[in-house]
Amino acid sequence: MTGWYSENGSTYYLGSDGTLTTGNASIDGNNYYFNENGVMQTGWIDGNYYNTDGTEYSFDGTPGNVGRLFIPSAGVNVALNYVDDNTGDEAAQAICDAEDSAAYMVFSSSDEVWIGDHNFQGFDAIKSVVPGTQAYIKNTDGTIDSYICTEIDQATNTGYDLVTADGRSASKINAGGIIMYTCNDDWTSVTATFWQPE
């Protein structure tokens, strides 16, 4: 037997001589990882992320002072730089204006985290996520936090809050999670995505 083989929920690849493939493997131009028993693995392995479709990603790029945000299915890979709610809009704007830099804002009154960046710098890719999409933040200490998208909404940026299309305050509907957003046509019209720790 050669080629792809699935059994009991596990996927294997057998080479032209019938041997199980282990470790990193390039098959039909895609990159996969198989454990020592030949079972295809997905997720984080040795600093790289492997999808079931053979796409492989890594945190390539310099981390910001918080770390680096990675959304494999959307192709988002951006440095995160800290802004607190006392530094003002100019500081957040400067971070967003910089190349490969998104603002990681922590609001002291609620411990909410918002991540914002410009759509023309590639952050418009968050508009393609759906509930269930996974995101990761590689912190400066090397640890990786996992998040899952729970909601995507069109919202209005009031300058101090995001208000969803159905009138909810974004600051009151995602306790313990992260809100990622980017502008649509202008700064008041935004796409907001809501994420919870996995």
Side-chain angles (χ1 to χ4, degrees):
M1 176 180 253
T2 61
W4 291 104
Y5 174 71
S6 293
E7 182 178 87
N8 298 327
S10 296
T11 302
Y12 306 85
Y13 188 82
L14 293 88
S16 60
D17 62 356
T19 60
L20 283 174
T21 301
T22 60
N24 290 312
S26 179
I27 301 168
D28 298 328
N30 294 315
N31 296 318
Y32 300 91
Y33 186 86
F34 300 87
N35 70 12
E36 65 278 357
N37 297 319
V39 178
M40 185 178 76
Q41 304 294 295
T42 59
W44 289 106
I45 301 163
D46 297 330
N48 293 322
Y49 185 88
Y50 294 87
N51 276 328
T52 57
D53 66 359
T55 51
E56 175 189 0
Y57 300 93
S58 63
F59 280 109
D60 56 348
T62 305
N65 58 26
V66 171
R68 200 155 182 91
L69 169 67
F70 179 55
I71 308 174
S73 65
V76 171
N77 186 351
V78 66
L80 295 177
N81 290 289
Y82 178 80
V83 178
D84 70 35
D85 57 346
N86 297 315
T87 58
D89 292 340
E90 288 182 24
Q93 191 65 51
I95 288 172
C96 290
D97 288 345
E99 189 174 331
D100 190 30
S101 177
Y104 181 96
M105 299 166 276
V106 178
F107 294 89
S108 59
S109 61
S110 62
D111 289 328
E112 292 175 333
V113 174
W114 291 15
I115 297 173
D117 201 1
H118 294 305
N119 59 7
F120 63 82
Q121 293 184 163
F123 215 59
D124 63 335
I126 68 167
K127 297 175 184 179
S128 69
V129 303
V130 295
T133 300
Q134 293 178 306
Y136 304 92
I137 293 177
K138 184 174 184 182
N139 302 297
T140 53
D141 66 2
T143 60
I144 297 173
D145 296 329
S146 300
Y147 297 89
I148 190 157
C149 180
T150 57
E151 181 179 347
I152 182 168
D153 205 327
Q154 299 308 306
T156 300
N157 185 345
T158 66
Y160 60 90
D161 196 2
L162 300 179
V163 179
T164 63
D166 61 2
R168 295 173 296 151
S169 167
S171 63
K172 299 188 182 338
I173 60 175
N174 201 44
I178 290 177
I179 299 170
M180 296 183 208
Y181 70 99
T182 193
C183 296
N184 294 322
D185 298 329
D186 62 54
W187 72 271
T188 61
S189 172
V190 300
T191 297
T193 59
F194 299 85
W195 306 78
Q196 283 292 315
E198 233 182 344

